[in-house]
C-alpha cells in the first residue's frame, strides 16, 4: 500500500503529492513543523504539540491553515488512510506560494499544509534505550530564534551528519562553552546529588514538549529539576546524561566525545524517567 500524504486539502499517494516550486517553505524555509508520536491510535502530548505549532505560527505571523478542530480531523484521517496505529506524524505549515520575493506575500495568501505519517516501532527505540547511546559535541551555529520550530534546520542537519559519521546517535550543541541542546532533542545531565539539569527554556533552545512532560514526571517522582545552562565539561563528568524528544522519548547517553558517562551504561534515573514518560504520555 503506498503511503498517503495530506497536501492542501487532498489525500494523495506520496509519490504524487507535491508542493509548488515557489512555495516559501521550499525557497526560504519560511515554514514551521511538528513531529508527533502516535501509539495504539492515540497522539502523545497532543495538547503540547498543537499549542507549540500555534505559537510558532504566531511568532512568524503565518496564518493558521485551519482551526485546531479541523487539523485534528486531518491528523486522525492521515492515520486511517495509512492504516497506522503506531506512527510518527509530520506536519508542516508554510507561508504559502508567491513569486520569489523576500518580503511577505500579500495578505490573504493561503498557507500550505502538508501532513505525512509513517510507521513507528517503539521496540526499536526501547532496544536502543536499553544499551544507551553515544553522542559527540558540535558547535551550535544556529540563528537566535531556535525556540520557533522552523524548518530552517541546516545547522542541525550538519551536526547530526557529523554525529552519524562518528558513529554517534546525536550531537550536543555547544555555544560559549555551554550545551544548549542537541540537533533534534533536548539535553539533560544528572549531578552528584541526583538533580536533573537542563538548559532553561529560552530563545537559545527549542522548548521540547517531551522536556515539559519529563519535568512534570520528575516532579511527581520528587526528583529535583534545575533549569540552568551547563558546560560540556560538566556533562562529561555527570553521573548520568540523557536526551529527550518526541521520537526518542528519554534516551540514556553513555558517552560524550568518547568519554564514558557514569558507569558507561544507562543510569537508573534515566531509566525510571523513560518509563514514567511513556506512562504519562500514553495517558494524554
Ligand atoms: N525534534 N530540540 C530540537 C532542536 C528539536 O528538533 C527537537 C524535536 C527537540 C525536542 O522537542 P520535542 O520533545 O517537542 O520533540 C528539541 C523533532 C523530533 C524532529 O525534528 O524530528
Amino acid at each position: 500500500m503506498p503511503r498517503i500524504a495530506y497536501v492542501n486539502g487532498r489525500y494523495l499517494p506520496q509519490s504524487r503529492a507535491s508542493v509548488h516550486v515557489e512555495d516559501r517553505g521550499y525557497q526560504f524555509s519560511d515554514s514551521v513543523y511538528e513531529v508527533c508520536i502516535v501509539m495504539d491510535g492515540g497522539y502523545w502530548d497532543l495538547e503540547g504539540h498543537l499549542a507549540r505549532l500555534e505559537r510558532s505560527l504566531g511568532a512568524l505571523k503565518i496564518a493558521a491553515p485551519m482551526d485546531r478542530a479541523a487539523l485534528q480531523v486531518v491528523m486522525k484521517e492521515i492515520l486511517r488512510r495509512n492504516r497506522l496505529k503506531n506512527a510518527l506524524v509530520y506536519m508542516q505549515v508554510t507561508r504559502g506560494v508567491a513569486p520569489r520575493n523576500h518580503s511577505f506575500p500579500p495578505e490573504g495568501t493561503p498557507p500550505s499544509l502538508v501532513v505525512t505519517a509513517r510507521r513507528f516501532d517503539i521496540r526499536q527505540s526501547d532496544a536502543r534505550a536499553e544499551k544507551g547511546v553515544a553522542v559527540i559535541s558540535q558547535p551550535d551555529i544556529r540563528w537566535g530564534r531556535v525556540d520557533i520550530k522552523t524548518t530552517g534546520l541546516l545547522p542541525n542537519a550538519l551536526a547530526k551528519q557529523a554525529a552519524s559519521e562518528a558513529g554517534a546517535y546525536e550531537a550536543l550543541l555547544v555555544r560559549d562553552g555551554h550545551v544548549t541542546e542537541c540537533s533534534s532533542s533536548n539535553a539533560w545531565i544528572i549531578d552528584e546529588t541526583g538533580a536533573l539539569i537542563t538548559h532553561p527554556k529560552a530563545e537559545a533552545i527549542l522548548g521540547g514538549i517531551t522536556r515539559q512532560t519529563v519535568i512534570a514526571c520528575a516532579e511527581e517522582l520528587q526528583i529535583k529539576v534545575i533549569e540552568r545552562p551547563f558546560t560540556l565539561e560538566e556533562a562529561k563528568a555527570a553521573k548520568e546524561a540523557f536526551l529527550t524528544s518526541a521520537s526518542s522519548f528519554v534516551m540514556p547517553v553513555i558517552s560524550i566525545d568518547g568519554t564514558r558517562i557514569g558507569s558507561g551504561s544507562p543510569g537508573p534515573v534515566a531509566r525510571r524517567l523513560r518509563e514514567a514518560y511513556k506512562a504519562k504520555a500514553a495517558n494524554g
Side-chain angles (χ1 to χ4, degrees):
M1 195 187 89
R3 281 173 63 196
I4 304 296
Y6 172 90
V7 186
N8 294 326
R10 299 166 73 197
Y11 294 91
L12 297 164
Q14 219 155 277
S15 57
R16 286 202 286 119
S18 58
V19 291
H20 196 282
V21 290
E22 287 197 306
D23 189 284
R24 288 182 63 94
Y26 176 59
Q27 294 198 318
F28 295 109
S29 295
D30 190 357
S31 54
V32 301
Y33 76 107
E34 280 297 324
V35 173
C36 303
I37 290 297
V38 177
M39 298 299 306
D40 296 326
Y43 277 85
W44 280 16
D45 281 337
L46 177 62
E47 168 62 32
H49 286 284
L50 292 175
R52 186 173 61 189
L53 179 63
E54 287 161 8
R55 177 184 180 275
S56 296
L57 291 169
L60 298 179
K61 299 192 172 73
I62 297 177
M66 55 182 66
D67 65 23
R68 225 187 228 220
L71 179 60
Q72 283 184 249
V73 170
V74 174
M75 291 168 76
K76 212 168 159 186
E77 187 63 12
I78 200 74
L79 298 175
R80 195 184 70 77
R81 297 213 184 208
N82 284 286
R83 297 194 197 139
L84 290 171
K85 286 221 173 320
N86 301 306
L88 184 149
V89 173
Y90 177 83
M91 303 190 280
Q92 180 175 346
V93 181
T94 85
R95 201 181 302 277
V97 175
R100 187 176 182 278
N101 184 357
H102 287 64
S103 53
F104 293 177
E107 195 104 4
T109 301
S112 302
L113 170 63
V114 169
V115 182
T116 60
R118 64 174 146 93
R119 191 168 304 284
F120 181 82
D121 188 349
I122 197 169
R123 288 168 307 183
Q124 276 173 18
S125 173
D126 285 343
R128 179 172 276 132
E130 269 305 305
K131 289 190 182 149
V133 298
V135 304
I136 61 164
S137 59
Q138 286 287 291
D140 188 347
I141 59 170
R142 301 174 300 162
W143 75 317
R145 289 303 307 276
V146 298
D147 58 311
I148 308 169
K149 198 164 169 63
T150 79
T151 60
L153 293 172
L154 187 53
N156 307 58
L158 294 174
K160 183 81 99 186
Q161 177 62 17
S164 299
E165 287 173 11
Y169 178 71
E170 250 291 25
L172 285 180
L173 303 180
V174 181
R175 177 169 292 161
D176 301 329
H178 290 96
V179 174
T180 48
E181 57 179 332
C182 299
S183 76
S184 64
S185 47
N186 290 114
W188 305 66
I189 58 172
I190 300 175
D191 72 9
E192 272 312 296
T193 69
L196 307 185
I197 305 173
T198 193
H199 194 290
K201 218 169 144 179
E203 292 180 358
I205 68 160
L206 180 76
I209 305 306
T210 318
R211 174 187 182 281
Q212 200 172 292
T213 303
V214 166
I215 289 175
C217 291
E219 276 163 11
E220 281 168 22
L221 294 169
Q222 298 189 322
I223 300 170
K224 191 169 170 192
V225 179
I226 305 169
E227 293 182 69
R228 68 158 173 86
F230 57 88
T231 65
L232 183 58
E233 288 65 40
E234 267 184 277
K236 288 181 181 171
K239 210 166 159 189
E240 291 184 37
F242 62 91
L243 46 90
T244 57
S245 79
S247 54
S248 288
F249 313 138
V250 174
M251 186 58 70
V253 169
I254 55 167
S255 77
I256 301 174
D257 292 333
T259 300
R260 207 173 70 175
I261 304 305
S263 63
S265 55
V269 179
R271 280 174 185 275
R272 230 161 94 212
L273 283 169
R274 184 177 171 89
E275 288 318 307
Y277 171 74
K278 280 163 53 178
K280 197 172 186 68
N283 294 320

